[in-house]
Amino acid sequence: MTLALLLRSTPAAEPVTLATGEPLTQHLEAQLRQAGARDVATVTTAAGLAELVATAREPVLLCGDDLVAHTAVLRHLATSPVGPTVALVLPAAEAGPGQAAVAEDRGQVVIAGSPGELGDAATGTFGGALKVGTADLPALVNAARAAAGEAGHGPVLDRVLTALARGTTISAHRVRLLVARRATGQRAVAAAEAEVAAVDSDAAELRLSVKERDDFFTTFAVSSWSPHVTRLAARIGLGPTGVTAISVLFAVAAAALFGYGGRPALVAGAVLLYLGFVLDCVDGQLARYTREFSPWGGWLDTMADRAKEYLVYAGLAIGVDRAGLGNGWTLAIAAMTLQTARHMTDTWYGVLHDEAARRAKPAGTAPAGGLGDRLSRASTRVQADTGSVSYWLKRTVVFPIGERWALIALTAALFNPLVSLVAVLVWGGLAAAYTLLLRTVRAHSMRVAVLSGVDTALYRDDGFVARRLGDVGRRLRQPGPLLSGVVGLAGSAALLGVALTGVRGVGLRVTVVAALLVALTAGLRAAVPHNGALDWLVPAALRAAEYVFVIAIDVAADVPGPVTFALLFVLALHHYNLTSRLEKHERAPLLRNFGLGWDGRLILLTLAVLAGVASIGIAVLAGYLFVVFMVSATAGWVMAVRERRARGASVDSGWKRIDRPEETTRWAAAATTATTEERDR
């Protein structure tokens, strides 16, 4: 539940009324309850606010007494899935006397203050409403006390926001389609009330369920009609999770048809794949329309998206083999490995960018300069020019999920599964090279560390051996963590090269052991701070090293393609589980140590090769890891939901920091403005 606090700026003044004669403050109290507040209290001073918040144990929704808005605006703010703290932000031109101006970057309020203090850095004005999650309540108490102790003018809530922004990450909630105005005086209130009445709230909310910015195919081939499906799902009581389940069924059916082959089956599979993607968009739209957000739903959506895509790759591989077009499993394995490594870089680059924005000090801060800064400014200009050719090219060239589904569907329907897999690999490879190059240059200029603020061993996926090697590596002069990871990848790549030459017998066994020893050197830097400008690439390097090692064993030991695909599929789910929990600010997986770590898995695979049972070893490891993943995910989320219900924090949606250092991120809004196209669709 949520506690709402209405801050009165002029308690002794004549109450402002609406056209119905109802006092605005009374109307706001009713709106706050409709937005989800269990109770509404009135506060007149910053000191009183601090006293009330100090005893709160639930999210707090703060609202000024000068806000005239649709009830949906307050409901969206109260249920916002980003945060935990979110501020309503209006256009800078609407700033009134004493109201705080804000400067935003990547959806975060990086600084707040008077318009004179921010100057040209101001991008908006505070909208007079603020949701503060339970994790930030102590910071709110301190901000209220600071505002009470400072001499200043303007509404209490604006002064509190200014103080809160000095040390707390605040997400910005912009109003689109709906109406929100800060109005002082009877005339201004009447004008704002007329604007509110002129907008159909439900129709606006349905349109708002569609992302403001999406990719080309999704925007024009899906979102142009998917809101009708969203409304229908809401009317029949189908929730986002149910839509996700149906989309999975569509994707599985499409994969089966691709595997069966034949022109009718391929065309039908393409149609089902498209409809499954439509539903994949609808589940997010339905969540936004009905305000049914939860970490569990976001996690399930992410995991389902990846599972669907890789099952389609498997279906295409079967289709290639059945049609006698070549080795489809090799192509499917390569496509899955490439896409997983790309997603690892997407996740950590998004975290890096959000952290850089959080640290930004717009007022009086000179640009960093250099190529990276020029690229960043050029990217910002292109992103701002929505609808232009350059804007759509930039969003399309990176090969987002909508374009991947469209490419697979079209090539499968018009040609065959072989063309689909080759097209995915070619476009995906070019996109990976393009994004990696530009992001590396930009990240080097940012000089921001993010892995040093988390449980590094968890996101590296280190096992027992890597952690012990890390203890040894602390005392040695070794290359940085990224270079060590690249060396490990080089060892796996060398093993693959040797396997492709046809070496077998003793020579192969010696090469596998040597490659293992080279790969394990990445563990020597496991315990050192990952604070380099490019250390955000370490998880992706380790994922690539492990996956390439598995592929090399597949080639060397003639392991059946489906067996190797199964192991890599389960490994991908395991690693997506880690990054998805990072984005949702959830604790580590319940059975994290039972995953053995990348090092433990490589050691077991090496032993299987030495024993001459590589195929059996890969199959057993895949089955074991799948059981661990299912038990960990199921039991972990059941426990998390029960704990959240016990805390009574359902409205907070679980977007919180974990107090234990080993299970926390140092930033508060890593998922606020994600760069991955799949996040929270």
Side-chain angles (χ1 to χ4, degrees):
M1 298 299 290
T2 301
L3 171 66
L5 300 178
L6 182 63
L7 281 84
R8 299 288 300 275
S9 55
T10 54
E14 185 72 20
V16 178
T17 61
L18 302 178
T20 59
E22 180 185 21
L24 176 58
T25 53
Q26 184 176 328
H27 180 69
L28 282 170
E29 289 180 5
Q31 286 186 306
L32 289 168
R33 288 190 173 88
Q34 293 174 38
R38 66 164 179 82
D39 195 14
V40 181
T42 300
V43 184
T44 58
T45 65
L49 173 63
E51 184 178 350
L52 273 175
V53 174
T55 61
R57 297 294 182 270
E58 58 193 340
V60 174
L61 181 60
L62 308 172
C63 181
D65 65 350
D66 58 352
L67 180 64
V68 179
H70 284 100
T71 302
V73 171
L74 291 172
R75 183 170 63 252
H76 291 183
L77 183 68
T79 57
S80 175
V82 299
T85 296
V86 190
L88 183 65
V89 176
L90 303 179
E94 297 183 13
Q99 295 174 3
V102 300
E104 305 154 88
D105 191 0
R106 289 182 62 82
Q108 300 176 50
V109 174
V110 294
I111 192 171
S114 68
E117 292 173 335
L118 268 62
D120 294 338
T123 59
T125 184
F126 178 45
L130 175 72
K131 185 199 80 169
V132 181
T134 52
D136 284 339
L137 291 182
L140 177 59
V141 172
N142 293 334
R145 289 171 178 167
E150 294 177 356
H153 301 285
V156 171
L157 190 51
D158 293 73
R159 290 187 282 119
V160 170
L161 175 78
T162 299
L164 185 64
R166 292 170 189 156
T168 303
T169 299
I170 303 174
S171 300
H173 180 78
R174 284 276 184 170
V175 177
R176 291 192 302 121
L177 304 181
L178 297 167
V179 176
R181 298 284 184 269
R182 296 187 71 175
T184 54
Q186 191 65 56
R187 182 176 299 179
V189 168
E193 187 182 8
E195 289 186 63
V196 170
V199 175
D200 183 336
S201 178
D202 184 68
E205 287 192 85
L206 185 62
R207 291 176 59 192
L208 286 171
S209 68
V210 178
K211 285 184 176 180
E212 182 179 9
R213 294 187 179 188
D214 217 325
D215 306 312
F216 184 84
F217 179 77
T218 306
T219 298
F220 295 103
V222 176
S223 297
S224 56
W225 66 278
S226 60
H228 299 294
V229 182
T230 300
R231 187 194 292 274
L232 176 62
R235 285 179 175 175
I236 65 177
L238 186 61
T241 299
V243 174
T244 299
I246 297 174
S247 73
V248 171
L249 293 177
F250 273 58
V252 170
L257 290 169
F258 290 152
Y260 183 78
R263 185 59 54 202
L266 293 176
V267 172
V271 172
L272 287 178
L273 190 64
Y274 168 67
L275 294 177
F277 179 66
V278 171
L279 293 177
D280 183 35
C281 296
V282 167
D283 62 5
Q285 293 173 8
L286 185 60
R288 289 184 285 273
Y289 183 55
T290 61
R291 311 310 294 174
E292 293 183 21
F293 298 113
S294 71
W296 151 252
W299 176 87
L300 180 64
D301 184 45
T302 298
M303 302 304 293
D305 284 352
R306 302 286 62 76
K308 288 186 297 185
E309 181 172 0
Y310 295 162
L311 287 175
V312 167
Y313 291 171
L316 292 171
I318 295 172
V320 171
D321 285 0
R322 282 176 55 86
L325 299 174
N327 189 342
W329 288 108
T330 297
L331 296 174
I333 288 169
M336 180 167 58
T337 299
L338 173 64
Q339 201 57 48
T340 302
R342 282 198 64 200
H343 281 145
M344 297 301 113
T345 63
D346 286 346
T347 294
W348 287 102
Y349 184 74
V351 173
L352 177 84
H353 225 313
D354 285 338
E355 177 69 0
R358 190 186 70 83
R359 294 184 181 185
K361 302 296 181 184
T365 301
L371 178 59
D373 181 67
R374 291 197 294 273
L375 287 173
S376 295
R377 285 186 275 117
S379 176
T380 300
R381 287 195 300 270
V382 171
Q383 291 290 352
D385 189 14
T386 56
S388 66
V389 174
S390 57
Y391 172 83
W392 289 119
L393 282 175
K394 179 177 174 60
R395 296 194 69 94
T396 303
V397 72
V398 297
F399 203 27
I401 187 171
E403 274 62 17
R404 292 201 299 276
W405 275 161
L407 181 67
I408 292 172
L410 287 174
T411 53
L414 298 177
F415 304 103
N416 56 58
L418 177 63
V419 174
S420 295
L421 286 174
V422 171
V424 167
L425 276 170
V426 172
W427 192 346
L430 293 174
Y434 165 77
T435 56
L436 183 60
L437 176 62
L438 293 186
R439 289 173 177 180
T440 299
V441 174
R442 293 177 67 181
H444 188 269
S445 69
M446 292 180 198
R447 299 193 178 278
V448 173
V450 290
L451 274 171
S452 58
V454 300
D455 179 358
T456 307
L458 172 65
Y459 296 110
R460 284 173 51 100
D461 195 19
D462 291 329
F464 177 81
V465 174
R467 291 195 291 269
R468 298 293 78 77
L469 288 173
D471 294 337
V472 174
R474 286 175 176 170
R475 301 185 292 272
L476 301 176
R477 294 179 61 85
Q478 294 286 334
L482 177 59
L483 184 55
S484 295
V486 172
V487 169
L489 174 57
S492 297
L495 174 60
L496 177 58
V498 171
L500 289 171
T501 63
V503 173
R504 298 295 184 269
V506 176
L508 174 63
R509 292 183 174 87
V510 171
T511 304
V512 170
V513 173
L516 172 67
L517 295 176
V518 172
L520 289 177
T521 60
L524 290 170
R525 310 310 287 162
V528 301
H530 287 48
N531 52 14
L534 300 180
D535 284 348
W536 56 277
L537 288 167
V538 170
L542 293 176
R543 300 298 82 81
E546 180 178 6
Y547 291 16
V548 172
F549 194 97
V550 173
I551 293 171
I553 291 178
D554 168 271
V555 173
D558 296 321
V559 179
V563 176
T564 302
F565 186 92
L567 175 58
L568 293 177
F569 178 78
V570 176
L571 286 176
L573 292 181
H574 168 69
H575 291 128
Y576 281 119
N577 184 28
L578 292 177
T579 56
S580 181
R581 287 175 179 274
L582 168 78
E583 295 170 358
K584 304 299 179 281
H585 297 266
E586 286 295 324
R587 67 182 63 195
L590 190 62
L591 304 178
R592 57 176 292 189
N593 292 328
F594 285 82
L596 306 177
W598 62 268
D599 47 305
R601 295 189 291 267
L602 294 190
I603 291 172
L604 288 179
L605 291 176
T606 299
L607 293 175
V609 172
L610 296 179
V613 291
S615 296
I616 295 175
I618 289 179
V620 171
L621 183 58
Y624 167 77
L625 292 176
F626 182 73
V627 171
V628 170
F629 168 77
M630 293 301 295
V631 172
S632 176
T634 303
W637 280 109
V638 168
M639 290 175 59
V641 170
R642 287 177 177 173
E643 290 175 1
R644 191 163 297 112
R645 287 175 177 171
R647 290 193 303 267
S650 59
V651 177
D652 198 22
S653 298
W655 291 77
K656 60 183 182 65
R657 298 189 189 92
I658 304 297
D659 293 334
R660 285 163 287 188
E662 72 274 11
E663 297 176 356
T664 186
T665 59
R666 192 175 43 141
W667 53 89
T672 301
T673 53
T675 58
T676 52
E677 72 278 16
E678 291 84 4
R679 190 176 298 169
D680 292 330
R681 181 173 297 281

